[in-house]
């Protein structure tokens, strides 16, 4: 980081004990300049960190600092020691997992939130944070085309939200589990909930935490397009009731992690209503697409969900972390979680108008996450957000078309959004084991090269590459270059075909 002016470390701490405001101004400007330069040149770094496991740890002292260090030293360490160990999620070449963006307004929102440092556990501990969260999530509800009323809170991750949803679902059973637990009770049947084989692992993890167990989740098969098979779902529920299990919830996914398939939520909602089960929809990735009115179909049926998750930190350009949890039944969620010790008791913030947001999950402390989301929504506007989602989808579909038109590559799943599942499949090479080796080698070679970062999944047991477009800096030129790199890699591998 460029050193603008020498600052004596002894001068940096004011009478408050904190960094004095002039030092803050100086280093704050340096940091903002660094961020602006970083974001301009982020595509020039190798996307995937080049360090080996333990490199960063060994480069850092194993003893804590005893004496104060200057900000010059701290910022220099950040750049020389930590930066090489960063995988650049904000790079245009990041095409792995779900590609995301920490956008400019979002980063500024994070900075302000750090400065205010409020803990929005109770309404009174920051009325603006609580009320802005309510307003921002109602704006988002409208942008997504979801009906009023819908109560929303922001959690760190979708994994937490799904846990809370299933805890609330469990609370609807007349078993008083919140109070009496489940262990050692003969009056509690084995509990069951359902999700497809394509659902995210957080759905299964929730069962572990809730004491329902991994076997409490019954995984349902999918159709040819990786969507939950509703016939199998209904049959499984009937079988489980007959066998003495107590089914209590179904988790549908809008935008599954591997293929971004969209489960048939309206039919799943019918089944949930028929059997009295809680419907939770994990729209962590795909839900955001509905800000584009032409993509509203993705949330069809979600107005009937008891709980729904949409992650602005996945595809609404919001810096991690920001996961929106919506519910039509805030009273049930609150009944599952609210526990108010004396020191937090107060007369405000008990209703839905001005809730105490600590009542809707396990965390007491809550960051002011709505600030960055609010700034992003205002800065881009619904039209701006929709245009960016449309562009990512266009790039994904373009890449999918190139794959379809190529004799050497094939698509492995439909592409409803901006994520493409595909693999190299050269003419005449049909042995699955060899294809797996070939595609893994291509992926490793791309990742070693450094301009792009690619990840994989397995579909029907077949090693599958995934390209996810979701970063605001990714352009058509990047996708073209990536496609060119795939062809080159395949050619190189073909020359070494005997090794495969
Ligand atoms: N749900 C889906 C569909 C996902 O793809 C993911 C992560 O990629 C998650 C949930 C977990 O998200 P989080 O990191 O917010 O817990």
């Amino acid at each position: 980081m460029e050193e603008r002016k020498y600052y004596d470390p002894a001068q940096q701490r004011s009478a408050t004990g904190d960094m004095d405001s002039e030092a803050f101004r100086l280093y704050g400007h340096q940091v903002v300049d660094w961020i602006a330069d970083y974001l301009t040149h982020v595509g020039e770094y190798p996307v995937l960190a080049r360090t080996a496991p333990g490199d960063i740890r060994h480069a850092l002292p194993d003893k804590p600092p005893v004496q104060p260090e200057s900000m010059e030293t701290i910022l220099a360490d950040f750049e020389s020691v930590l930066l090489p160990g960063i995988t650049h999620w904000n790079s245009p070449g990041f095409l792995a997992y779900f590609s995301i963006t920490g956008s400019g307004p979002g980063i500024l929102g994070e900075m302000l939130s750090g400065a205010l440092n409020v803990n929005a556990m109770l309404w009174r501990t920051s009325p603006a944070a609580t009320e802005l969260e309510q307003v921002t999530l109602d704006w988002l509800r409208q942008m997504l085309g979801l009906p009023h009323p819908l109560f929303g809170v922001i959690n760190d991750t979708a994994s937490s939200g799904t846990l809370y949803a299933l805890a609330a679902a469990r609370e609807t059973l007349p078993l008083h589990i919140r109070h009496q637990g489940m262990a050692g009770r003969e009056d509690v049947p084995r509990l069951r909930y359902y999700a497809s084989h394509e659902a995210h692992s957080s759905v299964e993890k929730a069962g572990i935490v809730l004491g329902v167990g991994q076997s409490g989740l019954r995984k349902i098969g999918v159709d040819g397009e990786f969507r939950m098979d509703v016939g199998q779902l209904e049959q499984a529920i009937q079988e489980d009731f007959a066998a003495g299990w107590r089914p209590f919830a179904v988790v549908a996914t809008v935008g599954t992690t591997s293929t971004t398939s969209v489960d048939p939520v309206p039919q799943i909602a019918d089944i949930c209503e028929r059997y009295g089960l809680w419907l939770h929809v994990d729209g962590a990735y795909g839900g955001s697409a509905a800000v584009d009115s032409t993509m509203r179909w993705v949330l069809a049926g979600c107005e009937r969900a008891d709980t729904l998750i949409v992650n602005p930190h996945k595809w609404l350009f919001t810096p991690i972390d920001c996961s929106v949890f919506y519910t039509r039944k805030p009273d049930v969620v609150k009944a599952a979680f609210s526990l108010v010790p004396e020191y937090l008791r107060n007369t405000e913030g008990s209703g839905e108008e001005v809730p105490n947001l600590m009542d809707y999950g396990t965390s007491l402390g809550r960051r002011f996450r709505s600030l960055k989301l609010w700034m992003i929504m205002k800065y881009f506007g619904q039209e701006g957000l929709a245009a960016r989602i449309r562009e990512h989808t266009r790039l994904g579909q373009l890449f999918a078309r190139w794959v379809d038109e190529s004799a050497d590559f094939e698509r492995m799943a439909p592409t409803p959004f901006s994520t493409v599942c595909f693999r190299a499949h050269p003419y005449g090479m049909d042995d699955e084991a060899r294809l797996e080796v070939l595609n893994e080698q291509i992926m490793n070679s791309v990742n070693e090269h450094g301009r792009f970062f690619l990840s994989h999944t397995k579909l029907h047991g077949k090693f599958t590459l995934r390209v996810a477009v979701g970063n605001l800096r990714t352009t058509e030129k990047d996708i073209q270059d990536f496609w060119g790199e795939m062809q080159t890699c395949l050619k190189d591998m073909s020359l070494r075909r005997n090794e495969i």
Side-chain angles (χ1 to χ4, degrees):
M1 212 166 284
E2 195 191 340
E3 220 171 278
R4 298 282 153 86
K5 176 174 151 193
Y6 178 70
Y7 220 88
D8 179 355
Q11 302 295 313
Q12 286 180 29
R13 286 142 185 100
S14 71
T16 63
D18 195 3
M19 178 185 276
D20 78 37
S21 50
E22 279 317 304
F24 186 85
R25 199 181 307 282
L26 175 72
Y27 297 116
H29 283 141
Q30 281 187 27
V31 168
V32 169
D33 281 345
W34 187 90
I35 294 173
D37 291 341
Y38 171 72
L39 293 177
T40 307
H41 299 288
V42 60
E44 295 163 24
Y45 295 88
V47 189
L48 191 59
R50 289 282 172 84
T51 45
D55 280 359
I56 303 297
R57 203 188 160 130
H58 293 130
L60 293 164
D62 55 6
K63 296 271 186 299
V66 177
Q67 295 302 323
E69 292 181 22
S70 70
M71 272 310 290
E72 277 79 11
T73 311
I74 297 168
L75 294 176
D77 282 358
F78 165 76
E79 226 175 331
S80 65
V81 180
L82 300 181
L83 201 59
I86 293 294
T87 290
H88 296 277
W89 285 73
N90 245 347
S91 167
F94 191 109
L95 304 173
Y97 311 115
F98 282 129
S99 162
I100 57 175
T101 313
S103 64
I107 295 169
L108 294 173
E110 282 284 23
M111 289 170 68
L112 291 174
S113 159
L116 296 174
N117 198 32
V118 301
N119 183 338
M121 54 192 192
L122 301 171
W123 173 81
R124 62 156 57 165
T125 60
S126 190
T130 298
E131 294 186 26
L132 187 70
E133 193 158 325
Q134 301 305 288
V135 171
T136 304
L137 297 192
D138 194 60
W139 288 359
L140 182 63
R141 173 193 67 74
Q142 294 175 53
M143 284 189 181
L144 297 172
L146 291 166
H148 178 79
L150 199 57
F151 179 84
V153 294
I154 302 179
N155 294 313
D156 53 357
T157 59
S159 306
S160 299
T162 290
L163 172 67
Y164 302 161
L166 289 169
R170 197 183 60 172
E171 208 42 39
T172 60
L173 302 171
L175 296 168
H176 314 290
I177 290 171
R178 170 190 156 125
H179 186 239
Q180 295 172 26
M182 294 197 288
R185 287 180 62 188
E186 280 177 11
D187 59 327
V188 175
R190 294 290 309 276
L191 304 184
R192 260 272 153 83
Y193 65 110
Y194 306 83
S196 90
H197 281 285
E198 295 295 314
H200 190 258
S201 51
S202 56
V203 177
E204 187 167 339
K205 267 197 187 179
I208 300 172
V209 178
L210 291 169
V212 173
Q214 284 173 275
S215 63
L217 168 62
R218 183 156 173 186
K219 292 188 182 171
I220 305 298
V222 293
D223 66 13
E225 299 195 0
F226 302 95
R227 300 172 298 201
M228 189 192 288
D229 181 324
V230 285
Q232 283 187 37
L233 172 66
E234 185 156 20
Q235 195 184 338
I237 293 168
Q238 287 173 351
E239 281 170 9
D240 285 345
F241 268 119
W245 290 81
R246 180 61 172 93
F248 71 103
V250 179
V251 181
T253 308
V254 168
T256 55
T257 311
S258 280
T259 70
T260 71
S261 60
V262 176
D263 284 340
V265 177
Q267 289 96 307
I268 295 172
D270 288 343
I271 292 176
C272 285
E273 280 165 20
R274 208 150 44 241
Y275 294 91
L277 310 187
W278 186 278
L279 173 58
H280 174 59
V281 178
D282 175 358
Y285 166 68
S288 299
V291 301
D292 173 7
S293 55
T294 66
M295 296 290 283
R296 284 273 164 84
W297 61 268
V298 304
L299 290 182
C302 290
E303 71 285 355
R304 295 161 69 193
D306 297 290
T307 40
L308 163 70
I309 284 170
V310 177
N311 270 15
H313 76 220
K314 285 211 194 307
W315 206 9
L316 277 181
F317 323 125
T318 308
I320 279 184
D321 51 5
C322 185
S323 177
V324 173
F325 173 96
Y326 282 122
T327 181
R328 288 192 297 134
K329 297 180 176 161
D331 48 331
V332 180
V333 180
K334 189 172 170 182
F337 285 103
S338 181
L339 187 67
V340 185
E342 186 55 38
Y343 84 102
L344 294 173
R345 211 166 282 286
N346 65 101
T347 49
E348 322 99 354
S350 50
E352 278 161 40
E353 184 66 23
V354 282
N356 287 325
L357 293 174
M358 66 167 189
D359 286 335
Y360 299 88
T362 53
S363 304
L364 169 63
R366 311 184 73 260
R367 303 177 59 228
F368 191 178
R369 296 189 185 94
S370 60
L371 184 58
K372 57 187 170 184
L373 183 57
W374 176 73
M375 287 173 67
I376 285 166
M377 290 166 86
K378 280 170 78 70
Y379 185 81
F380 294 116
Q382 177 159 10
E383 284 186 8
L385 293 170
R388 285 160 176 80
I389 291 217
R390 258 198 308 277
E391 174 61 4
H392 289 164
T393 305
R394 184 186 76 80
L395 294 178
Q397 310 284 334
L398 187 65
F399 185 79
R401 209 180 69 219
W402 295 338
V403 170
D404 290 346
E405 289 168 356
S406 160
D408 290 328
F409 289 85
E410 67 182 340
R411 202 132 58 90
M412 302 296 282
T415 306
F417 303 102
S418 64
T419 301
V420 186
C421 292
F422 71 107
R423 68 173 179 176
H425 188 168
Y427 183 75
M429 188 195 267
D430 291 324
D431 178 72
E432 280 303 327
R434 287 182 72 209
L435 283 170
E436 173 154 349
V437 173
L438 172 71
N439 280 281
E440 196 164 3
Q441 286 185 351
I442 289 177
M443 181 177 79
N444 293 340
S445 161
V446 168
N447 292 344
E448 270 163 34
H449 187 243
R451 163 108 190 258
F452 299 103
F453 178 25
L454 190 61
S455 63
H456 79 283
T457 186
K458 276 206 169 168
L459 298 177
H460 299 306
K462 295 175 182 169
F463 191 92
T464 299
L465 302 173
R466 280 172 84 265
V467 160
V469 183
N471 186 275
L472 290 180
R473 290 176 176 77
T474 306
T475 61
E476 185 166 332
K477 165 90 170 53
D478 293 310
I479 299 300
Q480 268 168 358
D481 291 352
F482 173 71
W483 184 226
E485 197 168 319
M486 294 303 294
Q487 324 273 336
T488 311
C489 272
L490 180 60
K491 222 177 273 162
D492 291 350
M493 302 290 161
S494 302
L495 293 176
R496 296 169 26 211
R497 192 173 274 196
N498 291 341
E499 295 169 30
I500 296 169

